[in-house]
Amino acid sequence: MSFVSFPFWAILLPLLFLAYALCGKTARGQNIVLLIGSIIFYGSYDLKYLIVLAASIAVTYFGGLIGSKQTDREKGKKVLTAALIINLALLVVFKYTPFVLGNLNSLLGLIGVSVAIPKILLPVGLSFYVFQSSTYLLDLKRGKCECEKNVINYALFVSFFPTVVSGPILRASHMLPQIRNRREISFERFQIFLFTFLWGMFLKLVLGDRLSPLVAHVYQRYYDYGGFTLFVHTCLSMLQLYIDFAGYSFMAIGTAALFGFDIPDNFRQPWFSTSVAEFWRRWHISMMSWFTDYLYIPLGGSRRGRARYYLNTLIVFAVSGLWHGTSWTFMLWGLGGALYMIIGKLLLPTRLKLSEKLGVDRESFGFKTLQRFITFFLIAPLVDIFSVGTLKECAVYFYRMLTVWNPWVLFDGSLFELGMTQTDWRVCAAAGIVMLCVSAAREKGLGCRFIISQNVVCRVVIFMVLVFSIVVFGVYGAAYSASAFVYAGF
């Protein structure tokens, strides 16, 4: 069940909100309603997925309960560590077994031996909720949160339906206190939900799903196209990935607000980044901060010298790559991101000296705009690495991009034959300008709360424009099947 599907926003969400309002005299009543709704929502993908979700909940809940009861602190930490290992093992077994056995077969094939690769269930959102439940155990070990003894509260924390499939990855220290206390239903929160959810829907249906056919078409037939076509495709692929994931995040944040929860932003205008390092601080914030706090800093961060910083950066990005997917292209994607960080760090003194000698004002609008374009064009090809297919196919893709000269496609109408009509291009261009303007406003701190602080006429106009744009320009209808949110597969 997708956020943009009719059963969700027309049936499940209204009924769930009604039940929430009727049973909302206590936090317990609210949480029971939300837990039932979360089970229905997640189970709608496949009832078998609920078994793995329940296993993650049980392991981390009882692990936290038993570990916290130990009078010996060290013994308690060992219990928490054991529960953490078992929880992460769920992710390894269900997501990485085919990958590991496949690579093992490649080695064994040299001596004519192979092992059977079992067909293993891969639940949607597995990486997200395993990491989220792991934060509970890690925060308990660090003393950053209290042990949750109420199983309903804890089960809701892990399975909370707005975030269980594609995040944001919530911290136990942030979410559990909100779950324990009764949330107020207010018109202000309803407005936050309305504008945030509709904005996410706009991004998904008007922009993301309109770009999706072109992106998929070229990835399937990249060997038929030349450099300029592939360059345009690379830029649009990066934008489509962002739009799809950011759209989901906005809808998740808005839906959570409807039920009284505050969830932090998962993206902070990444295309305004003036460096690769800044981009990673703005992109998929919940995941990047998870790796920073629970892997990078425990490894030593940058506190143990430059060489250790480089090694820790490589480790974090390599693990992040494998978190995203089970192929060597994801590992290459992670290492590519790490190399950008390392090279940027190495060249920073040289770049600063060169700017000083040339008299460049690094704070000027023109220079920062140039930095933003450079950052975008550095980051965009990383998406191709894990989207094309195998390492060999990835090499062919970039070889054709760099060697096949076909600038005429920018003027002869060839781009209109890639799965998008001229009308599609015009709609995307207009919607892209709107997205850029909204991003610029958010960068200035003018977000959803700024909108709801305006007079009623202004709010009604914005609401009507969003609804009109989605209804008229959204990609849907009898022959349409909403594209699955990209990150649900991670």
Side-chain angles (χ1 to χ4, degrees), residues 192-261:
I192 293 173
F193 154 72
L194 205 60
F195 289 113
T196 307
F197 191 90
L198 286 175
W199 176 242
M201 213 170 187
F202 173 88
L203 291 176
K204 172 67 174 172
L205 295 181
V206 179
L207 259 175
D209 284 354
R210 195 174 292 277
L211 289 170
S212 183
L214 180 149
V215 172
H217 173 82
V218 177
Y219 275 137
Q220 292 168 2
R221 302 182 60 85
Y222 64 90
Y223 43 79
D224 289 337
Y225 299 110
F228 277 78
T229 303
L230 295 179
F231 174 76
V232 171
H233 173 255
T234 291
C235 296
L236 293 180
S237 298
M238 188 69 220
L239 287 173
Q240 193 265 337
L241 178 66
Y242 164 71
I243 291 163
D244 186 276
F245 195 16
Y248 180 96
S249 295
F250 280 118
M251 284 186 268
I253 292 168
T255 303
L258 178 65
F259 296 97
F261 291 95

Side-chain angles (χ1 to χ4, degrees), residues 406-420:
N406 63 336
W408 52 85
V409 300
L410 301 176
F411 311 102
D412 65 1
S414 298
L415 297 179
F416 301 139
E417 300 173 0
L418 303 178
M420 285 173 56

